[in-house]
Amino acid sequence: MSGLARRLQQAASAAGGFAWPDAGNTGIPVGTTLQHVPADVTFGTGWHWRSDTNSISIDSDGVVLDSLDCDGGIYNPTPDGGSQHIDITVTNCRFRLINWTAGGFGIQLGSGSTMSHCEVGGGADGMTFERSTGIESPGADGAANLIEYCDLHHLTHALHTGGYTTVNNCWLHDMDTGQNYGGDVAWQS
């Protein structure tokens, strides 16, 4: 363990406990029932399934996605050449990014968004490298984004963040280190 890691762990222990992010404390909580997109559900309030991009497409601000198991990712288009939709809440979801065709970012969050207890990557079997950055989080215009307790794996890059994004207790592992698609970093900012 590096000196910095040791000091961080000691400081956290002194503050009442610490656990490194791992399979036991990130991702979808045990016992959560998921609806499969697109097999079980193809739309909800403010979103619909797009088979041409293999993704959930965000249609409005303030969308809530909860307890979904999605073959693709989240496509957040810019309506009429404007900004992406904002204030998206994503909780207890899995995004496999299978045949992802909507661009290089698997999850496109708009400003003021929160993503918590989710899993991103791994394809159909959970272990296939997908040629994608897992989460794009611009966090622009002073509207902070929060990404926490997420399990990000088998991706070219896990995160691409802007200046107003906070990432807490996420587990980034099994990234493509160049053998598949030339990925070499887990996090770009």
Side-chain angles (χ1 to χ4, degrees):
M1 183 180 301
S2 74
L4 174 61
R6 187 176 310 105
R7 288 191 304 275
L8 289 171
Q9 189 171 22
Q10 289 169 346
S13 295
F18 178 82
W20 288 108
D22 62 19
N25 57 21
T26 64
I28 302 160
V30 174
T32 302
T33 301
L34 303 178
Q35 286 188 294
H36 186 259
V37 179
D40 299 332
V41 61
T42 58
F43 66 93
T45 302
W47 68 271
H48 70 278
W49 175 254
R50 283 185 57 170
S51 57
D52 62 325
T53 59
N54 206 45
S55 64
I56 289 173
S57 185
I58 303 299
D59 299 325
S60 63
D61 296 343
V63 169
V64 175
L65 302 174
D66 188 18
S67 302
L68 300 175
D69 184 353
C70 180
D71 283 351
I74 297 175
Y75 177 55
N76 189 357
T78 54
D80 302 322
S83 299
Q84 289 180 319
H85 294 293
I86 61 171
D87 298 323
I88 300 166
T89 301
V90 186
T91 308
N92 302 329
C93 292
R94 177 180 298 125
F95 298 94
R96 299 172 185 273
L97 308 181
I98 301 166
N99 297 321
W100 176 246
T101 61
F105 300 111
I107 308 300
Q108 299 172 343
L109 296 177
S111 296
S113 296
T114 300
M115 186 167 189
S116 178
H117 294 283
C118 293
E119 178 184 353
V120 180
D125 64 3
M127 296 174 44
T128 299
F129 282 99
E130 296 299 329
R131 189 174 187 163
S132 176
T133 294
I135 302 172
E136 176 200 28
S137 175
D141 303 323
N145 286 358
L146 174 63
I147 301 168
E148 61 182 356
Y149 301 104
C150 291
D151 178 358
L152 304 141
H153 59 94
H154 292 89
L155 301 160
T156 306
H157 306 288
L159 295 161
H160 185 91
T161 61
Y164 293 98
T165 299
T166 299
V167 178
N168 289 326
N169 301 305
C170 291
W171 188 31
L172 287 60
H173 63 99
D174 294 308
M175 294 294 133
D176 178 5
T177 57
Q179 71 269 24
N180 296 300
Y181 300 114
D184 58 358
V185 295
W187 189 340
Q188 287 181 293
S189 183

